[in-house]
Short mmCIF file of all heavy atoms in Angstrom, two decimals:
data_model
loop_
_atom_site.label_atom_id
_atom_site.label_comp_id
_atom_site.label_asym_id
_atom_site.label_seq_id
_atom_site.Cartn_x
_atom_site.Cartn_y
_atom_site.Cartn_z
N ILE A 326 4.98 15.08 15.89
CA ILE A 326 3.93 15.88 15.27
C ILE A 326 2.89 14.99 14.60
O ILE A 326 1.71 15.34 14.53
CB ILE A 326 4.55 16.87 14.25
CG1 ILE A 326 3.52 17.90 13.81
CG2 ILE A 326 5.11 16.15 13.04
CD1 ILE A 326 4.11 18.99 12.91
N TYR A 327 3.31 13.82 14.14
CA TYR A 327 2.36 12.89 13.52
C TYR A 327 1.29 12.46 14.52
O TYR A 327 0.11 12.33 14.18
CB TYR A 327 3.08 11.66 12.97
CG TYR A 327 3.99 11.93 11.81
CD1 TYR A 327 5.35 11.62 11.87
CD2 TYR A 327 3.51 12.47 10.62
CE1 TYR A 327 6.20 11.84 10.80
CE2 TYR A 327 4.35 12.70 9.53
CZ TYR A 327 5.70 12.39 9.63
OH TYR A 327 6.54 12.62 8.56
N ALA A 328 1.72 12.23 15.75
CA ALA A 328 0.76 11.83 16.79
C ALA A 328 -0.25 12.93 17.06
O ALA A 328 -1.44 12.66 17.29
CB ALA A 328 1.51 11.48 18.08
N SER A 329 0.18 14.18 16.97
CA SER A 329 -0.75 15.29 17.22
C SER A 329 -1.83 15.35 16.15
O SER A 329 -2.98 15.70 16.44
CB SER A 329 0.01 16.62 17.29
OG SER A 329 0.49 17.02 16.02
N PHE A 330 -1.50 15.02 14.93
CA PHE A 330 -2.51 15.00 13.85
C PHE A 330 -3.58 13.96 14.15
O PHE A 330 -4.78 14.21 13.97
CB PHE A 330 -1.86 14.70 12.51
CG PHE A 330 -0.84 15.70 12.05
CD1 PHE A 330 0.29 15.29 11.35
CD2 PHE A 330 -1.00 17.05 12.30
CE1 PHE A 330 1.23 16.21 10.92
CE2 PHE A 330 -0.06 17.98 11.88
CZ PHE A 330 1.07 17.56 11.19
N VAL A 331 -3.14 12.80 14.61
CA VAL A 331 -4.08 11.71 14.92
C VAL A 331 -4.94 12.09 16.12
O VAL A 331 -6.16 11.86 16.14
CB VAL A 331 -3.32 10.40 15.18
CG1 VAL A 331 -4.26 9.32 15.73
CG2 VAL A 331 -2.65 9.91 13.89
N GLN A 332 -4.33 12.70 17.11
CA GLN A 332 -5.08 13.09 18.31
C GLN A 332 -6.15 14.14 18.00
O GLN A 332 -7.14 14.25 18.73
CB GLN A 332 -4.10 13.61 19.37
CG GLN A 332 -3.24 12.50 19.97
CD GLN A 332 -2.05 13.03 20.75
OE1 GLN A 332 -1.59 14.15 20.51
NE2 GLN A 332 -1.55 12.24 21.68
N LYS A 333 -5.97 14.86 16.90
CA LYS A 333 -6.97 15.87 16.51
C LYS A 333 -7.96 15.33 15.49
O LYS A 333 -8.75 16.10 14.94
CB LYS A 333 -6.25 17.11 15.96
CG LYS A 333 -5.44 17.84 17.02
CD LYS A 333 -4.66 19.00 16.41
CE LYS A 333 -3.76 19.67 17.45
NZ LYS A 333 -2.94 20.75 16.84
N GLY A 334 -7.90 14.03 15.21
CA GLY A 334 -8.96 13.44 14.39
C GLY A 334 -8.57 12.87 13.05
O GLY A 334 -9.43 12.37 12.33
N ALA A 335 -7.30 12.93 12.69
CA ALA A 335 -6.87 12.26 11.46
C ALA A 335 -6.76 10.76 11.73
O ALA A 335 -6.16 10.36 12.72
CB ALA A 335 -5.53 12.82 10.98
N ASP A 336 -7.34 9.96 10.86
CA ASP A 336 -7.31 8.50 11.06
C ASP A 336 -6.22 7.83 10.25
O ASP A 336 -5.62 6.85 10.68
CB ASP A 336 -8.67 7.90 10.66
CG ASP A 336 -9.82 8.56 11.40
OD1 ASP A 336 -9.75 8.59 12.65
OD2 ASP A 336 -10.76 9.04 10.75
N ILE A 337 -5.95 8.37 9.07
CA ILE A 337 -4.94 7.83 8.16
C ILE A 337 -4.04 8.98 7.75
O ILE A 337 -4.53 10.05 7.34
CB ILE A 337 -5.58 7.18 6.91
CG1 ILE A 337 -6.52 6.04 7.33
CG2 ILE A 337 -4.52 6.67 5.95
CD1 ILE A 337 -7.44 5.58 6.20
N LEU A 338 -2.73 8.80 7.84
CA LEU A 338 -1.79 9.83 7.41
C LEU A 338 -1.18 9.42 6.08
O LEU A 338 -0.46 8.42 6.00
CB LEU A 338 -0.68 10.01 8.46
CG LEU A 338 -1.13 10.37 9.88
CD1 LEU A 338 0.09 10.53 10.79
CD2 LEU A 338 -1.97 11.65 9.88
N ALA A 339 -1.49 10.17 5.02
CA ALA A 339 -0.89 9.92 3.72
C ALA A 339 0.46 10.63 3.70
O ALA A 339 0.53 11.86 3.76
CB ALA A 339 -1.79 10.45 2.61
N THR A 340 1.53 9.87 3.62
CA THR A 340 2.86 10.40 3.90
C THR A 340 3.93 9.85 2.97
O THR A 340 3.81 8.74 2.46
CB THR A 340 3.23 10.09 5.37
OG1 THR A 340 4.59 10.48 5.63
CG2 THR A 340 3.11 8.60 5.66
N ASP A 341 4.99 10.66 2.80
CA ASP A 341 6.18 10.20 2.10
C ASP A 341 7.15 9.51 3.06
O ASP A 341 8.19 9.02 2.63
CB ASP A 341 6.89 11.38 1.44
CG ASP A 341 6.14 11.91 0.23
OD1 ASP A 341 5.61 11.09 -0.54
OD2 ASP A 341 6.07 13.15 0.06
N ARG A 342 6.79 9.49 4.36
CA ARG A 342 7.65 8.88 5.39
C ARG A 342 6.83 7.85 6.19
O ARG A 342 6.66 7.99 7.40
CB ARG A 342 8.21 9.97 6.31
CG ARG A 342 8.93 11.09 5.60
CD ARG A 342 9.39 12.18 6.56
NE ARG A 342 10.44 11.73 7.44
CZ ARG A 342 10.41 11.79 8.77
NH1 ARG A 342 9.32 12.25 9.40
NH2 ARG A 342 11.42 11.36 9.50
N PRO A 343 6.31 6.83 5.52
CA PRO A 343 5.39 5.91 6.21
C PRO A 343 6.02 5.16 7.37
O PRO A 343 5.33 4.89 8.37
CB PRO A 343 4.96 4.96 5.10
CG PRO A 343 6.04 5.03 4.07
CD PRO A 343 6.52 6.45 4.11
N ILE A 344 7.28 4.81 7.28
CA ILE A 344 7.92 4.04 8.35
C ILE A 344 8.06 4.90 9.61
O ILE A 344 7.72 4.47 10.72
CB ILE A 344 9.29 3.49 7.90
CG1 ILE A 344 9.09 2.50 6.74
CG2 ILE A 344 10.03 2.83 9.05
CD1 ILE A 344 10.38 2.04 6.08
N GLU A 345 8.51 6.14 9.43
CA GLU A 345 8.69 7.03 10.58
C GLU A 345 7.35 7.45 11.16
O GLU A 345 7.17 7.49 12.39
CB GLU A 345 9.47 8.28 10.15
CG GLU A 345 10.91 8.03 9.74
CD GLU A 345 11.07 7.59 8.29
OE1 GLU A 345 10.05 7.37 7.60
OE2 GLU A 345 12.23 7.46 7.85
N ALA A 346 6.38 7.76 10.29
CA ALA A 346 5.06 8.19 10.77
C ALA A 346 4.37 7.07 11.53
O ALA A 346 3.75 7.29 12.57
CB ALA A 346 4.20 8.65 9.59
N ALA A 347 4.47 5.85 11.00
CA ALA A 347 3.84 4.70 11.67
C ALA A 347 4.43 4.47 13.05
O ALA A 347 3.71 4.17 14.01
CB ALA A 347 4.00 3.45 10.81
N ALA A 348 5.74 4.63 13.17
CA ALA A 348 6.38 4.45 14.48
C ALA A 348 5.90 5.51 15.47
O ALA A 348 5.72 5.24 16.66
CB ALA A 348 7.90 4.52 14.33
N ALA A 349 5.65 6.72 14.97
CA ALA A 349 5.24 7.82 15.85
C ALA A 349 3.82 7.67 16.37
O ALA A 349 3.50 8.17 17.45
CB ALA A 349 5.40 9.15 15.11
N ILE A 350 2.96 7.00 15.60
CA ILE A 350 1.54 6.90 16.01
C ILE A 350 1.20 5.52 16.58
O ILE A 350 0.06 5.28 16.96
CB ILE A 350 0.59 7.23 14.85
CG1 ILE A 350 0.70 6.18 13.73
CG2 ILE A 350 0.86 8.62 14.31
CD1 ILE A 350 -0.32 6.38 12.61
N LYS A 351 2.18 4.65 16.64
CA LYS A 351 1.93 3.27 17.06
C LYS A 351 1.29 3.19 18.45
O LYS A 351 0.38 2.40 18.69
CB LYS A 351 3.23 2.47 17.03
CG LYS A 351 3.06 0.99 17.26
CD LYS A 351 4.39 0.26 17.07
CE LYS A 351 4.21 -1.24 17.26
NZ LYS A 351 5.49 -1.97 17.05
N THR A 352 1.73 4.03 19.36
CA THR A 352 1.23 3.96 20.73
C THR A 352 -0.20 4.47 20.86
O THR A 352 -0.83 4.29 21.91
CB THR A 352 2.13 4.78 21.68
OG1 THR A 352 2.17 6.14 21.22
CG2 THR A 352 3.54 4.21 21.70
N LEU A 353 -0.74 5.08 19.81
CA LEU A 353 -2.11 5.60 19.85
C LEU A 353 -3.15 4.54 19.50
O LEU A 353 -4.35 4.80 19.61
CB LEU A 353 -2.24 6.80 18.90
CG LEU A 353 -1.33 8.00 19.21
CD1 LEU A 353 -1.56 9.10 18.19
CD2 LEU A 353 -1.57 8.52 20.62
N ALA A 354 -2.70 3.38 19.08
CA ALA A 354 -3.64 2.30 18.78
C ALA A 354 -4.24 1.78 20.08
O ALA A 354 -3.52 1.57 21.07
CB ALA A 354 -2.94 1.17 18.05
#
Side-chain angles (χ1 to χ4, degrees):
I326 192 174
Y327 293 122
S329 71
F330 298 144
V331 171
Q332 289 166 336
K333 294 176 184 177
D336 305 306
I337 300 166
L338 303 181
T340 174
D341 288 320
R342 305 177 69 235
I344 296 172
E345 294 84 354
I350 66 174
K351 188 174 182 179
T352 58
L353 299 179

